[in-house]
Amino acid sequence: AAISAGIVRHYSAPPFNVRHWEIWNEPDLTSGSTSSVSPTWGGTWEDYYRLYTVAANAIKALGPTNNVGGPATTGGGVANHF
């Protein structure tokens, strides 16, 4: 959460003024291996949900104009996780 908050503090200020944040990009993407144990996200979906909750709360606590979304997925059948 501290890393997320630091990034948001930096990039939400001028000259960047970023207001939209994504928590992880494509955590369902595999690294190209045929093994199912090599995703770019190394944790479980439950681990991701915990990360998302903590990071999103930290980002939103920094200001009401911060919008949090994500993850953007590859669409490879992970919709049932959300």
Side-chain angles (χ1 to χ4, degrees):
I3 292 171
S4 297
I7 292 168
V8 171
R9 275 193 295 274
H10 178 78
Y11 286 104
S12 63
F16 307 107
N17 301 312
V18 175
R19 297 289 179 246
H20 303 281
W21 303 95
E22 177 185 7
I23 309 297
W24 208 274
N25 183 53
E26 298 179 339
D28 61 321
L29 184 66
T30 62
S31 63
S33 169
T34 57
S35 170
S36 62
V37 296
S38 60
T40 57
W41 169 256
T44 65
W45 285 110
E46 290 76 20
D47 293 335
Y48 176 79
Y49 302 145
R50 282 191 294 277
L51 169 78
Y52 184 95
T53 300
V54 170
N57 288 337
I59 292 167
K60 290 177 183 180
L62 292 173
T65 60
N66 288 320
N67 299 299
V68 181
T73 66
T74 63
V78 299
N80 60 344
H81 291 287
F82 300 99

